[in-house]
Amino acid sequence: MSRSRGAGPGRLPPDRTRAEVGGRIRRPDCDPAAVADAVRLLRAGQPVAFPTETVYGLGAPALDHRAVARIFSLKGRPADNPLIVHLSSAAMLDTLVAGLPEAAEALIKRFWPGPLALVLPRAAGVPDIVTAGLDTVAVRMPDHPVALALLDALGEPLAAPSANRSGRPSPTRAGHVAAEFEPADLPLILDGGPCVHGLESTVLDLSGSSPRLLRPGAVTTEQLEPVVGPLAGKPGEAAARSPGLRHRHYMPDCRVVLAEPSALSVVCARELAAGHRVGLFCVSGGERPSGLALYRRVPDLATFGRAVFATLHEAGQLRLDVLVVERVSPEGLGLAIMDRLRRAAGAEA
Ligand code: AMP
Ligand code: MG
């Protein structure tokens, strides 16, 4: 938090260039005018990127259909993929949804602000473009001081998908966003540091007769079920109900190969023997293979989840041919991690 704009070359974080620091990437914690400038841009229909606890978002006022259309075109996002609307108060929630089921009240009490998006019957004022024409809207309250300050200052909800071009890995640092969009298209990126979770929110559909998990995230099934009972649906069913899951996601600039812990060194050796530039991202023990261009071993699952997208970005920057990634058990946070990794590796959703 104490880094200043005039930091020497050796002290700049690796994800930012000298030109960006002090330019369109601005830190509200040491630049109090940044949030007010963001509000001015948003009111003028311009997109602004901002940090959340999950990933960085690309925001537009949710009730301004032209501003939202700009987000779709900037990202190259298919029109049938609805956006999550972010809010900071109960008053904002009232403008978005047509009533709250009992389960929603309990979940909001327990998990907001936090990485849980709820799909609820939509209010009449929500533009069709936000919901892709569905009669429901996804809403959440982010748990990040910069996101909440921005929403409070704007005084209205923000539709905000992840701040990356469609199909690419999500950004978990301001520098990842800067690498995706030209300054002329995205004049301001609020920098809140690396995202704490580093994985997009859990999406839970409350519009049917029982709660249904549409996308796993940092709030796990194991945390949700004690509050709302067993979740409906089998893995794979969600795509029909959550249009975004039908599209290709998280494609990095290199091949991603998933391997069991016991097979990691064999897979790395095979790729190295083929003359490839190889990276390894893992959480379990084992010997470090030599000759790797990137090696990241993290101590636990939460750190693994936080580092997934940053590692995919780094693999591209380092021009790896292949990133070998350890498979983890799809339980708890592991379900969300494996969902992102499988899709980064090219598997169907
Ligand atoms: P992203 O903006 O990339 O985090 O993706 C938002 C996710 O939420 C996508 O998977 C969407 O399909 C899903 N989503 C948003 N709104 C709805 C909705 N009304 N019904 C079902 N899924 C939704
Ligand atoms: Mg996204």
Side-chain angles (χ1 to χ4, degrees):
M1 290 308 214
S2 59
R3 260 182 343 236
S4 68
R5 286 181 188 178
R11 297 172 56 196
L12 283 172
D15 60 325
R16 282 189 271 180
T17 64
R18 284 186 75 73
E20 289 288 359
V21 176
R24 65 171 166 156
I25 297 184
R26 293 171 61 186
R27 300 179 47 138
D29 59 341
C30 48
D31 177 2
V35 167
D37 287 346
V39 168
R40 239 186 322 274
L41 287 165
L42 289 166
R43 292 212 172 113
Q46 296 256 37
V48 168
F50 63 96
T52 78
E53 79 281 29
T54 60
V55 301
Y56 274 72
L58 190 61
L63 306 181
D64 176 349
H65 69 93
R66 279 200 194 89
V68 174
R70 192 111 202 263
I71 296 283
F72 274 91
S73 75
L74 250 188
K75 280 183 59 93
R77 184 174 174 108
D80 67 355
N81 190 359
L83 304 183
I84 294 173
V85 181
H86 294 65
L87 49 87
S88 63
S89 68
M92 288 186 201
L93 184 60
D94 289 342
T95 65
L96 298 167
V97 305
L100 279 186
E102 222 174 273
E105 288 186 21
L107 289 165
I108 287 171
K109 211 163 157 205
R110 169 74 178 78
F111 294 107
W112 282 11
L116 176 65
L118 300 176
V119 173
L120 294 165
R122 77 190 246 202
V126 180
D128 277 344
I129 189 167
V130 171
T131 68
L134 298 173
D135 54 10
T136 53
V137 62
V139 290
R140 87 174 187 99
M141 187 184 289
D143 187 13
H144 194 291
V146 173
L148 293 171
L150 179 64
L151 287 159
D152 283 345
L154 182 67
E156 53 178 305
L158 281 170
S162 50
N164 54 275
R165 282 178 290 115
S166 214
R168 301 256 309 138
S170 298
T172 58
R173 292 162 183 255
H176 297 156
V177 183
E180 290 284 289
F181 301 104
E182 294 298 325
D185 292 326
L186 181 60
L188 178 56
I189 300 166
L190 297 178
D191 185 353
C195 299
V196 169
H197 293 297
L199 297 168
E200 303 86 345
S201 57
T202 304
V203 180
L204 188 70
D205 184 0
L206 294 180
S207 67
S209 51
S210 46
R212 183 177 295 269
L213 185 70
L214 298 184
R215 177 173 75 184
V219 174
T220 63
T221 304
E222 292 81 351
Q223 289 173 298
L224 291 169
E225 288 192 330
V227 182
V228 290
L231 303 185
K234 301 181 200 80
E237 247 182 48
R241 289 163 182 271
S242 190
L245 299 181
R246 287 200 290 264
H247 301 290
R248 216 21 247 284
H249 263 76
Y250 316 126
M251 278 179 291
D253 291 329
C254 70
R255 231 169 1 107
V256 173
V257 173
L258 306 181
E260 297 298 332
S262 60
L264 289 172
S265 49
V266 175
V267 175
C268 286
R270 187 186 69 208
E271 295 289 344
L272 287 164
H276 294 146
R277 239 171 111 67
V278 183
L280 173 61
F281 178 39
C282 59
V283 63
S284 70
E287 229 163 84
R288 174 182 179 160
S290 57
L292 296 176
L294 170 69
Y295 177 72
R296 175 154 307 135
R297 182 174 153 205
V298 295
D300 53 48
L301 208 57
T303 316
F304 197 63
R306 193 178 305 136
V308 164
F309 287 129
T311 307
L312 293 178
H313 283 284
E314 203 176 334
Q317 284 154 10
L318 291 171
R319 306 204 175 283
L320 299 189
D321 297 303
V322 58
L323 179 68
V324 179
V325 184
E326 178 175 339
R327 277 182 193 278
V328 295
S329 165
E331 290 151 13
L333 191 57
L335 185 67
I337 293 173
M338 282 311 297
D339 168 69
R340 308 313 189 265
L341 285 176
R342 263 197 295 268
R343 291 197 275 156
E348 289 302 309

